[in-house]
Amino acid sequence: MVADPVVVVSRRIAVLALLASLLLLPLTASPGHADDIPESAQKSMAKAREYLASGEKKNYRKAWNRIKKLRDACKHSVDYWDFFLRLGAAMGKEEAKLWADIEKVEKASAGCPSFEILRARRATDMTERQSHLEKAIEIAPKDMRPKLLLVDHLLAIDEEIDAEELVDAILEENPDHVGALVRKGRVQMTGEYFNAAIEFADEVLEKRPLPEMHNLKAEAYLAMFQSEGKDVLEDAHKAASEAVKLRADAGFVVTLARVLEMQDELAQARDLVSKHNAATPSPMLSALLGEYAYRTGDYATAVKVFKATAATSGVAARGYASGLYHLGKYKEAAPALAAMVKVAGEGSKVLAAKLYASMGRFDEARKVLEGVEGEQAEWTTKHVEVLAGNPASLTANAKEQAESDSLVAEWHLVYYAEALVMKAMGASQGEALREIVRKARAKAGAAKIATASPPDASVEMKANTGGFMRRVPAYFTSVCGRVFRSGNLQPGIAPGPEGENKIKVYVRVVGVDPNCRKDRGREWRFNVKEVEAGGTIQLEGAGEWAPVKEDYLEGCAKLVGGDYAAAVAAFDKALVGEPGWHRVKLLRAAALALSDAGQRGTAGKDALAAVKDWPGDHLGWELAIAVGHLGGQDVAAAAASYVRHMESHRSRELGRD
């Protein structure tokens, strides 16, 4: 897998994403209200949930026998029937038969909206979800539950005006309704009126010490973090802690955990959630524990947690399938990916295709991408054909890209070269390479590799040309798994050795990953030298790009045209002008391997040597390992290094990687 292009997230999208994590999670776990299991049945239901969460089939039958006894007491509970469906799916029961049982109870429960709420909760299509909620309101116009859930839904689809009108209507009828008061504040947050939401919460708290309003304040402060920075986190922590102190509701615990995450206290957040889930088991808290396990590289625990709800929860389905993949369990991961797409829907298809392709299941990858649009889908489609060794599908694009010296064009050419190498490798040798990588992935996945800490903010390097300097940040990967975006070249100056009348001068370029809170930017310093302070400064290495560019483009054109020997010669000329350009060394090695089978051993060694000092260039490493394997080199150690670096430089966001 290759790092995805950077996507800049606007402040408004970030706010909606936060609300999704705090608000929409209940639609897949506990829909925006407290668990509606009757008190008399809660103890037995908690035990049934433990049985399901164990992931052991022998315990599923025990859970089933328990909930059968609870049916009369829980017949109008949304949470009961949701669990009924999840447990039935885990046991392999037909969904249609499960729904038939539910519909029998529904027919005998006139005026009860719970069953339409259940359908809304489980709907993956937003229009379908809204339709079920509106029908629930028609069935029981005095019941607040479907109205509040419809407010949540409208906020989720960015229809805040309709959401505000509905919540105002609810408050006009019942001005003290806690759920409506919370939604009133969330409407203000969606409009980015965070201070107004905090003031509103304080006004309510002056009259009533409601934990819901403390939690609302914490949510608002969290949303402000995007623009205000860490200064608001102390206030968020205070508000969230007060909410949990007043009542340890699972939703409040989640908010406090999210605050701790933002304060870089992931271990403390995990302990908090684990403690409260042990005291009062909750699907919401269990899901968050699974997420934390995944994010800390504990894929075995994540798989165990997510397995219980993967059949019905999109979040769990992603975590379960991705966890199996990162453990190198491809045979189990393949059907889990198919199930993930069914449960999680359209938004999971690109991820499914990436993992299918990495496992060598190219037909499944192509099929799942049919009809999917967008930049990520386009890149993934190309990558599928690269790994499948199908350069013919990329040739027309490669010819066009060979005329440009842009970084994006270079990515396309590296993809094309890898496709040529994979084709030359053939099916048998290609499968052997995938097995080497799978074993490396299994070993890394079992090692619980921690996310890397950002290195020093500045990196010193040598370079001859400005064209190469501008490219360098894109050969590094942030700890969030994205390549850095490069800025403009600038002169740089820094203090010299202490006690000496000297300064350091250099050419500098800054690379950024704006969406990586821990690793937003680094500085690359080229051709650093010490000079006497006050003297004349002449910067080195800012010119002579034109001849290097000309030779590079000639090599690219020859590579795409199939004249591999001429490509080697042209790339050799480019390396005279810029000897540090490792990507050109990689393309040269690929061309050499393709031009003469007798030179493949040398080409393989050259490719692996080219990337040795560029661990963050995941795209380059993928090509180098392929050329090395084609050349008969033992690439197991290289594959292990590549996979371990990727493991430590990933966002570990469920659904992204």
Side-chain angles (χ1 to χ4, degrees):
M1 291 172 63
V2 178
D4 295 326
V6 173
V7 178
V8 179
V9 181
S10 72
R11 183 181 180 200
R12 177 163 180 75
I13 293 175
V15 172
L16 292 173
L18 171 68
L19 285 176
S21 69
L22 297 172
L23 173 62
L24 292 184
L25 176 60
L27 281 175
T28 58
S30 179
H33 58 82
D35 192 323
D36 69 351
I37 301 294
E39 188 174 353
S40 62
Q42 286 184 2
K43 186 175 181 180
S44 188
M45 193 67 184
K47 191 63 180 178
R49 285 170 172 159
E50 286 182 27
Y51 284 140
L52 176 58
S54 72
E56 297 179 10
K57 290 184 178 180
K58 65 181 182 180
N59 285 334
Y60 294 167
R61 175 55 58 183
K62 295 178 182 179
W64 189 258
N65 290 335
R66 277 184 175 269
I67 68 169
K68 281 174 65 177
K69 297 175 183 178
L70 300 176
R71 180 170 296 191
D72 286 343
C74 300
K75 62 184 179 182
H76 295 153
S77 165
V78 179
D79 293 301
Y80 172 84
W81 290 115
D82 185 52
F83 183 81
F84 172 82
L85 289 167
R86 289 192 287 116
L87 177 59
M91 296 175 71
K93 294 181 180 292
E94 291 184 29
E95 186 176 5
K97 291 183 177 179
L98 294 171
W99 273 106
D101 282 350
I102 295 173
E103 287 165 1
K104 289 177 184 177
V105 180
E106 181 179 18
K107 287 179 181 178
S109 305
C112 177
S114 296
F115 304 97
E116 288 299 333
I117 293 174
L118 175 67
R119 292 184 179 96
R121 181 190 297 192
R122 298 179 64 81
T124 56
D125 179 79
M126 300 300 267
T127 301
E128 181 184 352
R129 178 177 292 175
Q130 182 165 337
S131 175
H132 286 303
L133 291 174
E134 289 171 347
K135 190 171 182 180
I137 293 171
E138 291 177 13
I139 292 171
K142 295 295 184 181
D143 194 317
M144 289 293 113
R145 289 182 301 161
K147 292 181 181 179
L148 295 175
L149 288 171
L150 183 55
V151 173
D152 293 346
H153 170 78
L154 291 170
L155 289 176
I157 62 173
D158 204 16
E159 294 287 351
E160 65 233 46
I161 294 176
D162 290 343
E164 185 171 20
E165 290 177 355
L166 179 55
V167 80
D168 285 344
I170 296 170
L171 287 171
E172 185 175 347
E173 183 180 340
N174 189 345
D176 293 325
H177 193 285
V178 177
L181 291 170
V182 171
R183 268 70 173 189
K184 178 70 174 178
R186 283 177 172 166
V187 167
Q188 293 170 321
M189 287 173 58
T190 306
E192 297 188 28
Y193 298 108
F194 306 122
N195 287 318
I198 292 168
E199 291 172 5
F200 173 71
D202 283 333
E203 289 174 6
V204 176
L205 286 168
E206 287 179 5
K207 303 172 186 176
R208 301 165 65 191
L210 295 173
E212 290 85 354
M213 304 316 289
H214 286 292
N215 188 68
L216 176 67
K217 287 179 64 177
E219 291 178 7
Y221 283 124
L222 274 177
M224 293 170 69
F225 171 72
Q226 186 74 10
S227 59
E228 302 295 328
K230 289 189 175 183
D231 291 344
V232 300
L233 292 181
E234 186 175 342
D235 291 327
H237 189 279
K238 181 179 178 181
S241 297
E242 188 64 28
V244 173
K245 180 181 176 182
L246 289 171
R247 189 174 76 244
D249 180 86
F252 304 158
V253 174
V254 169
T255 303
L256 179 54
R258 295 303 189 197
V259 175
L260 289 168
E261 289 175 46
M262 294 297 101
Q263 293 178 312
D264 296 326
E265 297 289 353
L266 184 59
Q268 190 176 339
R270 188 174 181 176
D271 290 344
L272 170 81
V273 175
S274 181
K275 169 189 168 184
H276 284 279
N277 195 50
T280 308
S282 159
M284 189 188 301
L285 297 182
S286 293
L288 191 53
L289 284 174
E291 178 189 330
Y292 287 157
Y294 186 91
R295 286 170 56 184
T296 54
D298 186 359
Y299 299 118
T301 297
V303 164
K304 183 177 179 180
V305 171
F306 286 133
K307 183 178 181 180
T309 54
T312 54
S313 163
V315 171
R318 289 185 179 96
Y320 181 58
S322 297
L324 289 170
Y325 168 80
H326 287 292
L327 288 169
K329 296 183 177 182
Y330 288 1
K331 289 182 180 179
E332 295 125 290
L337 287 172
M340 177 189 77
V341 172
K342 182 179 178 182
V343 175
E346 192 78 11
S348 67
K349 289 184 175 181
V350 169
L351 172 63
K354 288 179 181 179
L355 303 193
Y356 274 138
S358 294
M359 296 188 296
R361 305 179 79 100
F362 306 119
D363 289 341
E364 287 151 293
R366 294 179 183 115
K367 184 176 181 180
V368 80
L369 283 172
E370 289 177 359
V372 182
E373 299 180 350
E375 184 179 7
Q376 295 302 311
E378 290 177 11
W379 278 101
T380 303
T381 298
K382 289 183 175 67
H383 197 213
V384 170
E385 301 309 326
V386 167
L387 297 180
N390 183 20
S393 66
L394 307 173
T395 301
N397 175 69
K399 286 181 178 179
E400 180 181 341
Q401 301 298 334
E403 298 177 0
S404 170
D405 70 326
S406 73
L407 182 60
V408 173
E410 182 184 310
W411 289 344
H412 284 283
L413 267 297
V414 172
Y415 262 8
Y416 184 70
E418 186 180 352
L420 291 169
V421 170
M422 294 304 294
K423 180 181 179 181
M425 201 178 291
S428 178
Q429 200 175 359
E431 185 57 38
L433 176 58
R434 281 188 288 277
E435 179 61 14
I436 291 170
V437 175
R438 186 200 66 76
K439 288 180 178 178
R441 182 160 286 122
K443 189 173 182 179
K448 301 180 184 178
I449 297 171
T451 299
S453 298
D456 293 338
S458 62
V459 182
E460 294 188 4
M461 300 184 67
K462 291 286 187 181
N464 287 354
T465 62
F468 174 58
M469 293 178 191
R470 279 189 289 270
R471 282 171 139 76
V472 164
Y475 301 146
F476 285 74
T477 302
S478 76
V479 298
C480 295
R482 288 176 288 261
V483 298
F484 287 97
R485 282 178 142 183
S486 181
N488 295 321
L489 297 182
Q490 299 173 330
I493 186 170
E498 188 175 351
E500 297 185 25
N501 188 35
K502 291 184 177 181
I503 58 173
K504 291 182 177 180
V505 295
Y506 46 85
V507 179
R508 68 189 289 265
V509 63
V510 174
V512 297
D513 178 355
N515 296 324
C516 187
R517 187 166 53 87
K518 292 183 178 180
D519 196 9
R520 281 204 171 102
R522 300 183 200 170
E523 178 189 59
W524 283 263
R525 298 177 176 182
F526 297 97
N527 308 328
V528 178
K529 64 178 181 179
E530 295 178 7
V531 299
E532 293 292 332
T536 301
I537 299 173
Q538 182 174 354
L539 297 176
E540 298 178 354
E544 300 303 319
W545 171 244
V548 174
K549 168 186 171 180
E550 183 178 338
D551 294 332
Y552 163 70
L553 291 179
E554 181 184 353
C556 292
K558 297 297 184 183
L559 177 69
V560 175
D563 189 349
Y564 304 127
V568 171
F571 288 137
D572 277 336
K573 290 167 63 179
L575 288 167
V576 171
E578 189 56 87
W581 195 355
H582 73 292
R583 282 274 183 91
V584 173
K585 294 179 183 179
L586 283 172
L587 291 172
R588 179 195 181 279
L592 180 63
L594 295 166
S595 68
D596 183 354
Q599 291 292 316
R600 285 181 177 176
T602 299
K605 291 178 183 178
D606 290 348
L608 294 170
V611 294
K612 182 169 64 76
D613 296 325
W614 298 84
D617 183 7
H618 296 164
L619 180 62
W621 271 81
E622 190 174 291
L623 174 58
I625 291 170
V627 176
H629 185 65
L630 178 65
Q633 303 300 307
D634 183 353
V635 297
S641 295
Y642 163 63
V643 171
R644 287 184 68 87
H645 194 278
M646 288 189 72
E647 269 299 319
S648 62
H649 291 72
R650 295 199 305 113
S651 67
R652 289 180 176 150
E653 296 171 10
L654 290 174
R656 180 177 181 269
D657 54 5

mmCIF file of all heavy atoms in Angstrom, residues 168-178 180-181 200 204 208:
data_model
loop_
_atom_site.group_PDB
_atom_site.id
_atom_site.type_symbol
_atom_site.label_atom_id
_atom_site.label_comp_id
_atom_site.label_asym_id
_atom_site.label_seq_id
_atom_site.Cartn_x
_atom_site.Cartn_y
_atom_site.Cartn_z
ATOM 1 N N ASP A 168 -36.354 23.415 17.834
ATOM 2 C CA ASP A 168 -37.104 24.527 18.419
ATOM 3 C C ASP A 168 -38.567 24.141 18.641
ATOM 4 O O ASP A 168 -39.177 24.532 19.653
ATOM 5 C CB ASP A 168 -37.019 25.759 17.516
ATOM 6 C CG ASP A 168 -35.661 26.452 17.603
ATOM 7 O OD1 ASP A 168 -34.915 26.159 18.560
ATOM 8 O OD2 ASP A 168 -35.347 27.262 16.712
ATOM 9 N N ALA A 169 -39.109 23.371 17.711
ATOM 10 C CA ALA A 169 -40.498 22.911 17.863
ATOM 11 C C ALA A 169 -40.633 21.983 19.070
ATOM 12 O O ALA A 169 -41.617 22.046 19.816
ATOM 13 C CB ALA A 169 -40.947 22.195 16.594
ATOM 14 N N ILE A 170 -39.622 21.137 19.275
ATOM 15 C CA ILE A 170 -39.646 20.232 20.427
ATOM 16 C C ILE A 170 -39.572 21.026 21.724
ATOM 17 O O ILE A 170 -40.322 20.777 22.680
ATOM 18 C CB ILE A 170 -38.482 19.225 20.346
ATOM 19 C CG1 ILE A 170 -38.630 18.317 19.124
ATOM 20 C CG2 ILE A 170 -38.410 18.377 21.621
ATOM 21 C CD1 ILE A 170 -37.402 17.459 18.860
ATOM 22 N N LEU A 171 -38.679 22.031 21.765
ATOM 23 C CA LEU A 171 -38.509 22.827 22.980
ATOM 24 C C LEU A 171 -39.720 23.714 23.257
ATOM 25 O O LEU A 171 -40.027 24.018 24.418
ATOM 26 C CB LEU A 171 -37.237 23.671 22.874
ATOM 27 C CG LEU A 171 -35.923 22.895 23.015
ATOM 28 C CD1 LEU A 171 -34.732 23.783 22.679
ATOM 29 C CD2 LEU A 171 -35.787 22.339 24.427
ATOM 30 N N GLU A 172 -40.404 24.135 22.226
ATOM 31 C CA GLU A 172 -41.614 24.932 22.432
ATOM 32 C C GLU A 172 -42.675 24.096 23.138
ATOM 33 O O GLU A 172 -43.405 24.591 23.996
ATOM 34 C CB GLU A 172 -42.141 25.425 21.082
ATOM 35 C CG GLU A 172 -43.330 26.375 21.208
ATOM 36 C CD GLU A 172 -43.755 26.943 19.869
ATOM 37 O OE1 GLU A 172 -42.994 26.795 18.888
ATOM 38 O OE2 GLU A 172 -44.851 27.525 19.807
ATOM 39 N N GLU A 173 -42.716 22.821 22.786
ATOM 40 C CA GLU A 173 -43.683 21.914 23.397
ATOM 41 C C GLU A 173 -43.220 21.461 24.778
ATOM 42 O O GLU A 173 -44.033 21.287 25.693
ATOM 43 C CB GLU A 173 -43.865 20.692 22.490
ATOM 44 C CG GLU A 173 -44.900 19.690 22.975
ATOM 45 C CD GLU A 173 -45.020 18.512 22.014
ATOM 46 O OE1 GLU A 173 -44.609 18.649 20.842
ATOM 47 O OE2 GLU A 173 -45.538 17.462 22.436
ATOM 48 N N ASN A 174 -41.895 21.265 24.912
ATOM 49 C CA ASN A 174 -41.340 20.768 26.174
ATOM 50 C C ASN A 174 -40.002 21.459 26.429
ATOM 51 O O ASN A 174 -38.943 20.929 26.117
ATOM 52 C CB ASN A 174 -41.157 19.249 26.097
ATOM 53 C CG ASN A 174 -40.786 18.638 27.430
ATOM 54 O OD1 ASN A 174 -40.392 19.341 28.359
ATOM 55 N ND2 ASN A 174 -40.892 17.328 27.531
ATOM 56 N N PRO A 175 -40.025 22.676 27.021
ATOM 57 C CA PRO A 175 -38.806 23.492 27.158
ATOM 58 C C PRO A 175 -37.735 22.898 28.064
ATOM 59 O O PRO A 175 -36.584 23.335 28.009
ATOM 60 C CB PRO A 175 -39.333 24.812 27.730
ATOM 61 C CG PRO A 175 -40.660 24.495 28.311
ATOM 62 C CD PRO A 175 -41.224 23.377 27.522
ATOM 63 N N ASP A 176 -38.063 21.919 28.877
ATOM 64 C CA ASP A 176 -37.079 21.336 29.789
ATOM 65 C C ASP A 176 -36.565 19.973 29.326
ATOM 66 O O ASP A 176 -35.866 19.288 30.076
ATOM 67 C CB ASP A 176 -37.690 21.186 31.193
ATOM 68 C CG ASP A 176 -37.978 22.532 31.841
ATOM 69 O OD1 ASP A 176 -37.195 23.462 31.614
ATOM 70 O OD2 ASP A 176 -38.993 22.645 32.551
ATOM 71 N N HIS A 177 -36.902 19.596 28.102
ATOM 72 C CA HIS A 177 -36.478 18.269 27.632
ATOM 73 C C HIS A 177 -34.968 18.264 27.434
ATOM 74 O O HIS A 177 -34.415 19.014 26.621
ATOM 75 C CB HIS A 177 -37.185 17.917 26.325
ATOM 76 C CG HIS A 177 -37.043 16.471 25.960
ATOM 77 N ND1 HIS A 177 -35.878 15.950 25.455
ATOM 78 C CD2 HIS A 177 -37.909 15.429 26.058
ATOM 79 C CE1 HIS A 177 -36.024 14.661 25.230
ATOM 80 N NE2 HIS A 177 -37.249 14.310 25.597
ATOM 81 N N VAL A 178 -34.278 17.409 28.187
ATOM 82 C CA VAL A 178 -32.818 17.414 28.199
ATOM 83 C C VAL A 178 -32.239 17.089 26.820
ATOM 84 O O VAL A 178 -31.313 17.751 26.343
ATOM 85 C CB VAL A 178 -32.289 16.408 29.245
ATOM 86 C CG1 VAL A 178 -30.762 16.354 29.195
ATOM 87 C CG2 VAL A 178 -32.755 16.809 30.636
ATOM 88 N N ALA A 180 -33.509 17.566 23.917
ATOM 89 C CA ALA A 180 -33.702 18.693 23.003
ATOM 90 C C ALA A 180 -32.735 19.824 23.324
ATOM 91 O O ALA A 180 -32.224 20.501 22.420
ATOM 92 C CB ALA A 180 -35.140 19.169 23.067
ATOM 93 N N LEU A 181 -32.482 20.062 24.607
ATOM 94 C CA LEU A 181 -31.531 21.106 24.996
ATOM 95 C C LEU A 181 -30.132 20.786 24.459
ATOM 96 O O LEU A 181 -29.428 21.669 23.970
ATOM 97 C CB LEU A 181 -31.493 21.229 26.524
ATOM 98 C CG LEU A 181 -32.765 21.799 27.190
ATOM 99 C CD1 LEU A 181 -32.684 21.641 28.702
ATOM 100 C CD2 LEU A 181 -32.952 23.269 26.825
ATOM 101 N N PHE A 200 -24.915 28.843 26.083
ATOM 102 C CA PHE A 200 -26.230 28.219 26.225
ATOM 103 C C PHE A 200 -26.177 27.127 27.292
ATOM 104 O O PHE A 200 -27.061 27.025 28.151
ATOM 105 C CB PHE A 200 -26.669 27.632 24.882
ATOM 106 C CG PHE A 200 -27.925 26.821 24.951
ATOM 107 C CD1 PHE A 200 -29.154 27.429 25.148
ATOM 108 C CD2 PHE A 200 -27.886 25.435 24.836
ATOM 109 C CE1 PHE A 200 -30.319 26.681 25.217
ATOM 110 C CE2 PHE A 200 -29.039 24.675 24.898
ATOM 111 C CZ PHE A 200 -30.262 25.308 25.090
ATOM 112 N N VAL A 204 -28.227 26.897 31.022
ATOM 113 C CA VAL A 204 -29.017 25.753 31.500
ATOM 114 C C VAL A 204 -28.463 25.250 32.827
ATOM 115 O O VAL A 204 -29.224 24.922 33.755
ATOM 116 C CB VAL A 204 -29.026 24.624 30.454
ATOM 117 C CG1 VAL A 204 -29.759 23.399 30.993
ATOM 118 C CG2 VAL A 204 -29.679 25.091 29.159
ATOM 119 N N ARG A 208 -30.075 23.932 36.350
ATOM 120 C CA ARG A 208 -30.083 22.493 36.637
ATOM 121 C C ARG A 208 -28.683 21.918 36.392
ATOM 122 O O ARG A 208 -28.090 22.168 35.337
ATOM 123 C CB ARG A 208 -31.083 21.762 35.726
ATOM 124 C CG ARG A 208 -32.508 22.244 35.845
ATOM 125 C CD ARG A 208 -33.353 21.739 34.679
ATOM 126 N NE ARG A 208 -33.498 20.290 34.665
ATOM 127 C CZ ARG A 208 -34.012 19.619 33.621
ATOM 128 N NH1 ARG A 208 -34.394 20.264 32.530
ATOM 129 N NH2 ARG A 208 -34.127 18.310 33.688
#
